[in-house]
Amino acid sequence: MQQDKMIERLTAMEKRLNEIDELLCKDEVISNIKMMTELNKERANLEEPVESYKKYKKILSDIEDSKIMETDEDPEIAAFAKENLKELAKQQETLYEEMKLMLIPKDPNDNKNIICEIRGAAGGDEANIFAGDLFRMYTRYAESKGWKIQVLDSSESEMGGFASISFMIKGEGVYSRLKFESGAHRVQRVPKTEAAGRIHTSTATVLVMPEAEEVEVEINPADLQIDTYRSSGAGGQNVNKTESAVRITHIPTGIVVACQVERSQLQNREIAMNLLRARVYALKQAEQNEKIEAERRLKVGTGERSEKIRTYNYPQNRVTDHRIGFTIQKLDRVMEGELDEIIDALINADQQDKMALEAKKMNDEIK
C-alpha cells in the first residue's frame, strides 16, 4: 500500500512538472521575475524524481515484456527473458529505494551560498582562539571543495583568533553541506594561555545562514538606521582615516550588522545589506521552524558548555557530534578541513529521520 501511495505522489509530481513547463512559456510569467524564480525553483526540485519515475515506468514495462518472452516456445528466448527479468528486478528495487530518498521534502536553501558567523563564547581568550581555529577549519574545507570565501566583518582578539567573524562561502550546494554546523562547538585542550598545563573547556558558537536574495526578503529602507565610522584593526588601532565602515540596524527586528573589510563605504554597505538580508531571512526561518518544531539541530543556543553540539577533544584526538552520537579519532585531520565524514553522517541521519517521517505520513494517509 505504501508503494501505491508513493506512485500516486510521483504521478502528481509528473503532472505538476508538465504544468510548470507550460506556465514558463506564458508572457505574464516571463515578465514576472518573482514568479519565474519560484517556478524554476519548484521545477528544479521536481525534475530528478520525475526523471527517475519515468525510468521506473520503463522498467515496469520491460518486466511485462520479458514475462511474455519467458513463455516463448524458443528455449533460448525464454532463457534470455528469464535472465533479463532478474536484472530488471534488481534495477527496479534500486530505483525504488532511490525514489524513496528523492521524495524526502527538499530544503529550498540547499543550493544556496552561506553566510557564517563564528563567535567566541564561554572561556574568554581561549574561546576566541578556538573561534579562529574553527574559521581556519571551514576555510580549509571550502578550499578542498573549490568554494570561495569572503570575509564580511571581523573583530580580532588580542590573544589570537576572533571575538567574532562573519564570512560568506560561495559554491555549489554549500548550504546543503554546512547547514548542520550551527550550534555551540566545545573544545577540550590545554590552552596556550595556561601555564600550569591543565585542560580547559571552552566554546565558540557557529551560525550558518543561507544567502538571501532581494526577491526573498523585502527590507523597507525606512526601517534602517545606517551609521558610518572609521575602520579599525585589533586593539582599536585606526587603519582608515575616512568613515568607510558601515553599521546597519534593522529597527523592526533589532538586528545589527557591520562591515569594514572594504576601503569603499559603498562596498561595505552592499556587504552589510547582504548580511542583513541573511539574518532577517534566518530569523523568519527560525520562527517557522519553531511553529512546526522542525530543524531543532540547527539552533545556535547561548554558547553555554552544556548546550554543545560537538566536542573537539585534543588529548584524545577525538571529535564527537552529540546530536547523532558520532565519534571519530581524527581531530587533527578534521581541524585541517577534512569534515566530510562528519557531514555525511549528519546528512544520512537527517535523511533517515525524514524517511521515517514520510513513511509514517503515508501510513496515516492509508488508514
Side-chain angles (χ1 to χ4, degrees), residues 334-367:
V334 167
M335 298 311 291
E336 288 299 317
E338 294 185 26
L339 283 165
D340 277 331
E341 202 171 337
I342 299 172
I343 289 169
D344 288 340
L346 286 163
I347 290 172
N348 289 336
D350 184 59
Q351 287 176 342
Q352 292 302 318
D353 286 349
K354 286 177 178 175
M355 280 178 70
L357 187 62
E358 285 301 300
K360 185 179 183 302
K361 281 182 183 176
M362 285 185 191
N363 284 332
D364 289 345
E365 286 173 14
I366 291 165
K367 289 175 186 176

Side-chain angles (χ1 to χ4, degrees), residues 70-295:
E70 197 180 20
T71 61
D72 197 280
E73 292 179 0
D74 187 325
E76 286 189 13
I77 292 175
F80 171 77
K82 190 174 183 180
E83 285 302 311
N84 200 37
L85 272 171
K86 289 180 184 176
E87 181 58 33
L88 287 169
K90 286 179 186 175
Q91 290 178 22
Q92 181 189 7
E93 187 179 351
T94 301
L95 198 53
Y96 179 74
E97 291 302 316
E98 287 176 5
M99 289 192 303
K100 273 168 66 177
L101 204 58
M102 288 175 194
L103 284 180
I104 294 172
K106 290 278 190 297
D107 187 331
N109 298 315
D110 272 352
N111 289 324
K112 289 185 176 181
N113 301 325
I114 66 160
I115 289 175
C116 183
E117 293 181 358
I118 303 175
R119 295 177 182 274
D125 291 331
E126 170 63 4
N128 295 339
I129 292 168
F130 181 51
D133 293 338
L134 290 176
F135 172 64
R136 181 179 178 275
M137 178 184 78
Y138 292 125
T139 299
R140 289 293 179 92
Y141 183 66
E143 288 169 353
S144 74
K145 296 292 181 186
W147 298 337
K148 293 180 180 177
I149 279 199
Q150 178 188 13
V151 174
L152 305 180
D153 190 39
S154 67
S155 175
E156 294 181 16
S157 170
E158 289 184 8
M159 297 299 294
F162 300 94
S164 66
I165 183 166
S166 302
F167 55 97
M168 178 179 282
I169 303 181
K170 297 180 180 180
E172 188 177 342
V174 177
Y175 186 74
S176 70
R177 298 296 296 170
L178 294 177
K179 62 184 174 182
F180 296 120
E181 293 304 296
S182 291
H185 294 238
R186 180 176 73 170
V187 63
Q188 293 174 326
R189 66 185 177 189
V190 178
K192 295 172 186 175
T193 55
E194 171 59 51
R198 292 174 299 179
I199 294 172
H200 282 224
T201 298
S202 305
T203 61
T205 60
V206 176
L207 175 61
V208 174
M209 301 170 285
E211 182 185 17
E213 297 169 22
E214 287 188 50
V215 293
E216 294 172 307
V217 179
E218 291 181 12
I219 293 176
N220 187 343
D223 291 335
L224 303 178
Q225 178 185 318
I226 300 174
D227 301 304
T228 59
Y229 56 98
R230 290 182 182 181
S231 299
S232 61
Q237 210 172 10
N238 285 337
V239 294
N240 195 330
K241 293 180 180 179
T242 61
E243 292 195 346
S244 60
V246 175
R247 183 188 298 110
I248 302 177
T249 304
H250 186 239
I251 297 165
T253 61
I255 292 171
V256 180
V257 296
C259 182
Q260 60 175 354
V261 293
E262 301 292 342
R263 289 177 179 268
S264 158
Q265 187 184 114
L266 191 65
Q267 287 175 305
N268 282 330
R269 179 169 173 161
E270 189 179 330
I271 291 170
M273 281 301 297
N274 202 356
L275 181 54
L276 178 63
R277 276 194 295 271
R279 291 292 301 263
V280 172
Y281 185 68
L283 182 66
K284 287 182 179 178
Q285 275 198 311
E287 287 170 355
Q288 288 172 357
N289 292 339
E290 245 175 71
K291 286 178 185 175
I292 60 174
E293 294 185 356
E295 293 182 17

